[in-house]
Amino acid sequence: MRNLDMTTLRSFVAVTDHGGVTRAAAALNLTQSAVSMQLKRLEDLLGIELLDRSNRKIALTGAGDQLLTYARRLVALNDEVVGRLTDQVWEGEISLGVPHDIIYPAIPRVLKQFNAAFPRVRVHLNSSYSSNLIELYERGEVDLILTTETVVGPGGETLTEMPLKWFGAPGGEVWKQRPLPIAHCRNCLFRPGVIRQLDAAGIDWEQAIDSDSDGAIEATVSADLAVTAVLEGSAPRHFELVPHQGALPDLGKQKINLYGARAPKNALVEQLAIMVRSGFAIPAVRAVSSR
């Protein structure tokens, strides 16, 4: 009977989640050669190839894709068992603030990982606008926050950058109208920049809705009554990238910033920050780079 090794499974999952051996090694605090050896050991044990290395980018084989589901479950179960039996000393509550548009897909994985490691610690997730989260953080009402900004403020660190794109209803035509109907919540940090870009491009625009409700904005856009700006990769499923081919201005990139990790209040906040950094190292994809 062959027994799976948890270390090799963890490396396999990390390579998939972080987009390659280099980033996985950094997240696991291992060398690239160590991670590569663990992947080879896992393939030798099972007698199958898990990664397709024929192209510039490594992709999961059919067997690798199937193993990934089991590997996630096994690693999570292992961490839960170890955490519940050995980390009884860690108790308490910490708070994490995240804008709603970057919660998925990273934050659920981070929360699951943290709960497995520290089952007696409760994480309060506060989802709000970046401007509101910054105010809460400055008042000491939240321990750790993520923001979407064009710059990084004092004490913050940039985890990654994501392009801001135009989105509308699937097959929508409203983006061709002038004045251009746009929809953003009143407190959306993207709104001033979007308006500046439209003005600079000489494109007349009008605010299609005045609301603080994300649901109302989504309904307006989904009905093809307006377009909006959303970070690429975080748009709702009922939105579609506008095929404007240069008819609308480029909106540049937004920084995903982390505050509270440079001088964490305690070891728990520090551990959560480490997991958040790892979660935003690179978007999880099926095709992963070999570099």
Side-chain angles (χ1 to χ4, degrees), residues 115-180:
N115 181 69
F118 306 100
R120 289 176 175 259
V121 179
R122 183 177 180 183
V123 178
H124 293 278
L125 180 62
N126 187 331
S127 178
S128 186
Y129 300 105
S130 293
S131 56
N132 187 43
L133 292 174
I134 291 172
E135 291 179 3
L136 293 174
Y137 174 70
E138 290 176 345
R139 294 201 301 263
E141 297 179 21
V142 64
D143 298 311
L144 204 64
I145 64 168
L146 285 165
T147 64
T148 53
E149 304 173 89
T150 56
V151 298
V152 60
E157 59 180 281
T158 299
L159 303 184
T160 188
E161 289 186 336
M162 300 174 67
L164 191 62
K165 298 288 187 178
W166 293 103
F167 281 85
E173 299 286 335
V174 72
W175 64 271
K176 300 177 182 178
Q177 294 184 18
R178 298 296 182 271
L180 176 70

Side-chain angles (χ1 to χ4, degrees), residues 14 22 44 57 68 133 135 137 139 150 182-183 188 190 196 212 215-216 219 224 229 236 241 252 260:
T22 301
D44 290 344
K57 286 188 175 181
L68 182 61
L133 292 174
E135 291 179 3
Y137 174 70
R139 294 201 301 263
T150 56
I182 61 174
C188 177
F190 302 155
R196 284 195 301 271
D212 282 332
D224 198 27
L241 192 66

Side-chain angles (χ1 to χ4, degrees), residues 229-244:
V230 182
L231 292 172
E232 190 172 41
S234 64
R237 293 183 177 180
H238 44 277
F239 282 11
E240 184 177 85
L241 192 66
V242 174
H244 60 82

Side-chain angles (χ1 to χ4, degrees), residues 2-274:
R2 289 173 287 184
N3 294 314
L4 292 170
D5 178 77
M6 201 59 59
T7 302
T8 61
L9 290 176
R10 193 181 302 277
S11 291
F12 173 63
V13 172
V15 168
T16 305
D17 285 348
H18 294 285
V21 173
T22 301
R23 295 184 180 92
L28 295 170
N29 292 318
L30 297 172
T31 63
Q32 296 180 43
S33 60
V35 173
S36 296
M37 287 177 60
Q38 288 171 7
L39 290 176
K40 185 64 167 59
R41 190 183 310 151
L42 183 59
E43 289 181 323
D44 290 344
L45 173 67
L46 295 173
I48 56 176
E49 289 190 355
L50 301 173
L51 302 175
D52 181 0
R53 302 174 175 86
S54 60
N55 298 315
R56 182 177 179 182
K57 286 188 175 181
I58 296 177
L60 293 177
T61 63
D65 202 33
Q66 186 176 12
L67 175 64
L68 182 61
T69 300
Y70 292 107
R72 290 193 194 282
R73 289 161 54 186
L74 288 168
V75 170
L77 183 59
N78 174 85
D79 292 348
E80 180 180 352
V81 171
V82 174
R84 291 191 181 279
L85 295 179
T86 64
D87 284 332
Q88 306 299 324
V89 66
W90 295 106
E91 296 183 351
E93 298 181 354
I94 56 178
S95 54
L96 171 66
V98 185
H100 75 280
D101 54 348
I102 59 171
I103 286 180
Y104 294 98
I107 296 302
R109 293 199 302 264
V110 169
L111 295 177
K112 184 176 182 179
Q113 180 185 5
F114 188 86
N115 181 69
F118 306 100
R120 289 176 175 259
V121 179
R122 183 177 180 183
V123 178
H124 293 278
L125 180 62
N126 187 331
S127 178
S128 186
Y129 300 105
S130 293
S131 56
N132 187 43
L133 292 174
I134 291 172
E135 291 179 3
L136 293 174
Y137 174 70
E138 290 176 345
R139 294 201 301 263
E141 297 179 21
V142 64
D143 298 311
L144 204 64
I145 64 168
L146 285 165
T147 64
T148 53
E149 304 173 89
T150 56
V151 298
V152 60
E157 59 180 281
T158 299
L159 303 184
T160 188
E161 289 186 336
M162 300 174 67
L164 191 62
K165 298 288 187 178
W166 293 103
F167 281 85
E173 299 286 335
V174 72
W175 64 271
K176 300 177 182 178
Q177 294 184 18
R178 298 296 182 271
L180 176 70
I182 61 174
H184 297 91
C185 288
R186 297 190 192 105
N187 296 322
C188 177
L189 285 181
F190 302 155
R191 181 177 173 180
V194 168
I195 292 173
R196 284 195 301 271
Q197 293 290 347
L198 289 172
D199 289 343
I203 297 176
D204 292 333
W205 59 273
E206 63 182 6
Q207 194 71 33
I209 181 174
D210 183 24
S211 175
D212 282 332
S213 168
D214 293 317
I217 300 299
E218 290 186 16
T220 301
V221 173
S222 297
D224 198 27
L225 299 178
V227 294
T228 190
V230 182
L231 292 172
E232 190 172 41
S234 64
R237 293 183 177 180
H238 44 277
F239 282 11
E240 184 177 85
L241 192 66
V242 174
H244 60 82
Q245 296 181 334
L248 297 178
D250 180 83
L251 299 176
K253 294 183 177 181
Q254 291 284 318
K255 297 181 184 296
I256 307 300
N257 296 327
L258 176 65
Y259 294 87
R262 292 288 180 87
K265 292 182 179 180
N266 54 53
L268 287 172
V269 174
E270 182 177 7
Q271 289 301 311
L272 180 58
I274 291 172

